[in-house]
Amino acid sequence: MRPTPEASYGEENIITLDPVEHIRTRAGMYIGKLGDGQSADDGIYVLLKEVLDNSIDEFMMGAGKRIEVTISEVGQVSVRDYGRGIPLGKVVDVVSKMNTGGKYDSKAFQKSIGLNGVGLKAVNALSTTFEVVAVRDGQLKRAEFACGKLTQEHDIEPTEEKNGTRITFLPDDTIFEHYAYRDDIVRQMLKNYTYLNRGLTMVFNGQRLVSQNGLVDLLTENMTETPLYDIVHLEKEDLDIALTHCNRFGEDYIFSFVNGQYTTLGGTHQQAFRESIVKTLRNFYGKNFDVADIRSGLTAVISIRVQDPVFESQTKIKLGSKNMSPEEGAVSIRSYVDDFLSEQLDNYLHRNPNVADVIKAKILDNEKERNAISGVRKKAKEKIKKANIFNKKLSDCNIHLTDSNNDRKDETAIFITEGNSASGSISMSRDSSTQAVFSLRGKPKNIYTMKRGDIYKNEELFLLQAALGIVDSIDDLRYNKVIIATDADVDGMHIRLLLLTFFIRFYPEVINTRHLFILQTPLFRVRNKKRTIYCYSEDERDKAAQELGDTKDREITRFKGLGEINWQEFKEFIRPDKMRLDPVTMKSSDSVQDLLEFYMGPNTSTRQTFVIDNLVIEEDLVQ
């Protein structure tokens, strides 16, 4: 029976929270999903980023060329910069009072990242302990906090330390449960800062990180295929672009940045570049080449600096600003990028005709391939309409079903799974407003030996493309997160590998724009009459067993498949703020072609020997 409005809503239900309580109660509004540190977009990395951004802003203003980051084994973080230091009389206010900071004064900070006076306060509020130390001209000011509340403010004292600021914090483990910082994720974050700020030295737990060539280093270290020509690097005040083409399908924006902020979902600056590159190359060659033919194989990174940027959320992963500054009559970002490329890239191609010839040959190859498969694709699209995908294979999310032009795409996710039981568990436990499910029919075909046109002839793969919305272009990807959800057994691992091969070969941009993930699901359940603990590894299982004690009512269950997990239990594992997701990434050090050849190519004696030497009997996993 539904409660009546009078019974469920009264004056006693109206609650006013102070800023610290609001941050702690609604942490997701300030730092995105909480997570445990396994994914680069988990909240503990946002806390680190918020502190680092202030230090980077000091570097951008010409104060301090070195930033030291230390993370202890227990997860305590320390960030020391050598900038100007927070004005000593305002140290407590800057880290604890909302909407307080120097970023409101454009003379003190130009084109900075943090503009709302929120970042450090959120870090403070979401930390068990937080300490700020500011040094200016031989004087030091220190203050200590617990969960956002001031516990001790020290008097100003003399010091021989160099100017700058040191922030030390320990994330609250009641909010970030079982969290741990991953060195590889932190190191990549810090390296990104060095790519964008030549002359900056980052030191992570004693390891020195520096970049001599900026965005060229970024592309070189992240590309997984050999470029067709030397990376083209173009830069001017407030705009830095590096690009090349590779022999593969699709376009690939490894990174885009605004004021040093990694905008994983792009925004107006990235869209301006994508449009301008097409316009510039069409004009240079005097031919109206198809957009897809110009972009296919393109690898690029763009970094832009904007006055008072407007992002679409506090986590700043998508730029919403249309102009280079908020001033009336300011030049638009689109015009700024377009004018720059039209002049600089055009000049570069005239000075380097060999590069111009390679790009033209790549465009013509793309055109030839597109024409060769256009008929096949057209027939497949007609067939897909008759197949009625949205009834047969796809349980879509309500956002797409009710509003195809919605502005909540950032929240959407699709689970790719196999088997009726697994699909049923996820379908019943998902958040149907934002989460969709695509059900495979058995193992997909080995994609390694297929050509681009073959995937349009394969019903299963074409249905998957249609569900994702990428039949014609990656621009049409319907979901922010594409999540492979397979069983943790041999068959499940094989299906996962087949799907990864599909994306690596034909849609690498889904990977390199950070949209593809692997869902972690618990391998074990340890419980007694009072408590249940879900474990994702044998180590976690052993710790849970020890925690619950060796009693008669203790039970340890090994899950062999997703369908074995009760849908009501499963609901906890795929909540947007609780999911454990492993992002699928590719680096230049990954020899992707060699890996695919080894695992997915002909069944060679080398692979047979590898399988035999690494064979694990399933019974061994249960012990």
Side-chain angles (χ1 to χ4, degrees):
M1 180 177 178
R2 294 179 61 188
T4 62
E6 292 80 8
S8 61
Y9 183 60
E11 293 181 4
E12 68 279 5
N13 299 115
I14 305 300
I15 300 173
T16 300
L17 301 176
D18 68 33
V20 170
E21 291 172 330
H22 190 270
I23 294 172
R24 292 181 60 81
T25 303
R26 295 288 185 266
M29 290 179 58
Y30 296 88
I31 61 166
K33 73 184 185 74
L34 302 181
D36 61 359
Q38 292 302 305
S39 178
D41 61 350
D42 284 345
I44 59 170
Y45 300 109
V46 179
L47 299 184
L48 172 58
K49 184 191 75 65
E50 291 290 358
V51 178
L52 284 169
D53 285 349
N54 290 281
S55 298
I56 295 298
D57 287 338
E58 287 293 315
F59 172 82
M60 290 170 57
M61 292 299 295
K65 295 182 178 181
R66 180 183 176 95
I67 301 172
E68 299 163 356
V69 179
T70 304
I71 301 181
S72 71
E73 291 184 359
V74 298
Q76 184 179 64
V77 179
S78 175
V79 177
R80 171 65 155 106
D81 68 43
Y82 296 88
R84 293 166 291 183
I86 301 170
L88 303 188
K90 293 292 184 178
V91 166
V92 172
D93 290 354
V94 164
V95 301
S96 62
K97 290 187 178 181
M98 295 292 282
N99 306 319
T100 301
K103 310 297 176 64
Y104 301 110
D105 182 353
S106 60
K107 295 179 182 178
F109 288 91
Q110 294 286 336
K111 302 181 177 69
S112 63
I113 304 169
L115 296 170
N116 300 320
V118 174
L120 277 182
K121 291 76 172 177
V123 179
N124 191 349
L126 298 174
S127 297
T128 304
T129 59
F130 181 98
E131 180 188 65
V132 54
V133 176
V135 179
R136 287 174 72 100
D137 303 324
Q139 292 186 305
L140 180 150
K141 174 71 175 180
R142 183 193 317 269
E144 298 163 14
F145 300 79
C147 300
K149 303 294 185 180
L150 180 66
T151 56
Q152 188 167 8
E153 180 179 1
H154 300 267
D155 292 335
I156 295 175
E157 59 186 73
T159 183
E160 294 183 359
E161 287 194 41
K162 295 180 179 179
N163 283 359
T165 302
R166 181 172 65 248
I167 301 290
T168 304
F169 66 93
L170 181 67
D172 190 337
D173 59 8
T174 65
I175 296 174
F176 307 97
E177 298 178 8
H178 310 295
Y179 81 88
Y181 282 97
R182 284 179 50 172
D183 282 359
D184 58 331
I185 293 178
V186 174
R187 189 175 293 105
Q188 185 60 57
M189 180 191 301
L190 302 186
K191 287 177 75 173
N192 287 347
Y193 282 116
T194 66
Y195 296 138
L196 297 166
N197 300 278
R198 279 179 287 179
L200 171 68
T201 296
M202 305 289 290
V203 181
F204 175 45
N205 285 352
Q207 180 185 8
R208 184 172 176 270
L209 305 172
V210 65
S211 171
Q212 299 296 332
N213 303 302
L215 298 191
V216 174
D217 288 342
L218 187 154
L219 276 189
T220 301
E221 294 183 23
N222 285 276
M223 283 191 300
T224 57
E225 297 187 29
T226 304
L228 297 178
Y229 51 89
D230 289 343
I231 294 171
V232 178
H233 189 199
L234 307 170
E235 56 184 329
K236 64 176 290 188
E237 183 182 7
D238 297 333
L239 186 58
D240 197 354
I241 292 172
L243 64 93
T244 187
H245 278 83
C246 296
N247 262 331
R248 52 162 177 68
F249 305 111
E251 59 182 314
D252 174 15
Y253 294 92
I254 293 180
F255 291 105
S256 69
F257 297 89
V258 176
N259 295 7
Q261 166 66 32
Y262 175 27
T263 44
T264 55
L265 295 181
T268 50
H269 61 314
Q270 183 167 301
Q271 187 59 32
F273 171 78
R274 299 175 73 241
E275 293 172 357
S276 298
I277 194 75
V278 171
K279 176 183 175 182
T280 300
L281 292 180
R282 280 175 173 171
N283 289 338
F284 179 83
Y285 295 113
K287 292 183 177 293
N288 191 32
F289 288 125
D290 189 90
V291 171
D293 297 335
I294 292 174
R295 293 178 182 168
S296 186
L298 178 66
T299 298
V301 56
I302 175 173
S303 173
I304 194 169
R305 298 197 182 278
V306 178
Q307 182 76 47
D308 295 343
V310 176
F311 295 97
E312 296 195 0
S313 69
Q314 171 61 21
T315 52
K316 308 183 184 81
I317 57 176
K318 186 175 183 180
L319 179 66
S321 299
K322 295 185 182 301
N323 299 323
M324 292 297 291
S325 77
E327 299 172 0
E328 186 175 349
V331 64
S332 72
I333 291 173
R334 176 174 296 185
S335 296
Y336 192 79
V337 173
D338 187 55
D339 291 345
F340 173 68
L341 272 183
S342 296
E343 178 183 351
Q344 297 298 322
L345 182 56
D346 185 85
N347 289 343
Y348 182 92
L349 294 177
H350 276 103
R351 293 194 304 267
N352 297 272
N354 57 323
V355 173
D357 290 343
V358 173
I359 294 177
K360 185 176 182 180
K362 173 60 176 172
I363 294 173
L364 293 174
D365 284 345
N366 291 337
E367 183 180 65
K368 182 179 179 180
E369 181 194 20
R370 179 175 54 82
N371 290 334
I373 64 174
S374 60
V376 177
R377 180 161 54 184
K378 183 178 180 180
K379 291 179 180 178
K381 292 177 74 172
E382 292 173 354
K383 184 178 180 181
I384 205 68
K385 292 179 181 178
K386 297 178 181 178
N388 198 356
I389 181 178
F390 295 100
N391 289 328
K392 289 184 65 176
K393 306 288 292 182
L394 176 68
S395 298
D396 209 356
C397 54
N398 293 338
I399 284 179
H400 286 327
L401 293 173
T402 57
D403 182 8
S404 60
N405 296 314
N406 70 84
D407 58 358
R408 295 178 61 195
K409 182 179 175 181
D410 295 357
E411 304 174 37
T412 58
I414 182 170
F415 297 97
I416 305 174
T417 188
E418 186 272 330
N420 293 332
S421 58
S423 297
S425 292
I426 295 180
S427 294
M428 288 189 290
S429 56
R430 68 186 171 120
D431 178 355
S432 59
S433 65
T434 58
Q435 294 176 331
V437 181
F438 181 86
S439 303
L440 293 169
R441 184 182 63 236
K443 293 182 182 179
K445 188 176 180 179
N446 188 344
I447 296 97
Y448 177 72
T449 57
M450 296 175 67
K451 297 180 179 180
R452 187 62 180 254
D454 294 336
I455 62 174
Y456 296 103
K457 300 175 184 177
N458 183 287
E459 181 178 354
E460 189 81 358
L461 295 177
F462 192 77
L463 286 170
L464 176 58
Q465 290 180 92
L468 297 175
I470 55 177
V471 174
D472 294 314
S473 169
I474 184 62
D475 293 348
D476 303 323
L477 181 64
R478 303 175 69 240
Y479 306 94
N480 184 34
K481 287 185 170 66
V482 179
I483 303 169
I484 298 174
T486 58
D487 292 340
D489 58 11
V490 175
D491 284 341
M493 294 300 109
H494 191 200
I495 292 171
R496 177 186 298 181
L497 188 55
L498 290 167
L499 288 170
L500 288 174
T501 305
F502 168 75
F503 285 106
I504 290 170
R505 281 218 67 207
F506 299 112
Y507 293 102
E509 62 270 45
V510 175
I511 297 174
N512 287 320
T513 50
R514 307 310 196 262
H515 289 297
L516 188 63
F517 299 85
I518 303 292
L519 175 68
Q520 287 190 39
T521 52
L523 297 176
F524 303 96
R525 179 181 60 209
V526 182
R527 66 181 177 183
N528 57 24
K529 292 181 179 179
K530 296 181 179 179
R531 189 179 175 195
T532 299
I533 303 175
Y534 296 97
C535 309
Y536 292 77
S537 67
E538 293 181 357
D539 285 344
E540 288 187 19
R541 176 201 61 189
D542 295 342
K543 290 179 182 178
Q546 185 177 10
E547 190 174 335
L548 295 187
D550 190 11
T551 59
K552 292 182 179 180
D553 68 338
R554 191 192 68 191
E555 174 190 90
I556 300 178
T557 302
R558 166 71 156 91
F559 297 120
K560 295 183 180 180
L562 303 182
E564 293 183 357
I565 304 176
N566 181 283
W567 74 268
Q568 292 175 314
E569 294 179 279
F570 206 94
K571 193 170 186 176
E572 284 299 303
F573 311 136
I574 61 172
R575 280 176 48 188
D577 61 335
K578 292 289 187 180
M579 273 194 296
R580 290 197 187 189
L581 297 176
D582 287 331
V584 179
T585 60
M586 295 190 294
K587 302 288 184 184
S588 60
S589 57
D590 299 334
S591 181
V592 175
Q593 187 60 37
D594 291 344
L595 286 172
L596 291 179
E597 173 71 25
F598 181 79
Y599 287 108
M600 307 305 292
N603 192 14
T604 64
S605 59
T606 305
R607 186 169 68 190
Q608 291 173 9
T609 302
F610 174 83
V611 171
I612 292 171
D613 291 345
N614 293 274
L615 186 63
V616 178
I617 305 301
E618 188 163 337
E619 285 76 6
D620 295 338
L621 299 175
V622 197
Q623 295 176 358

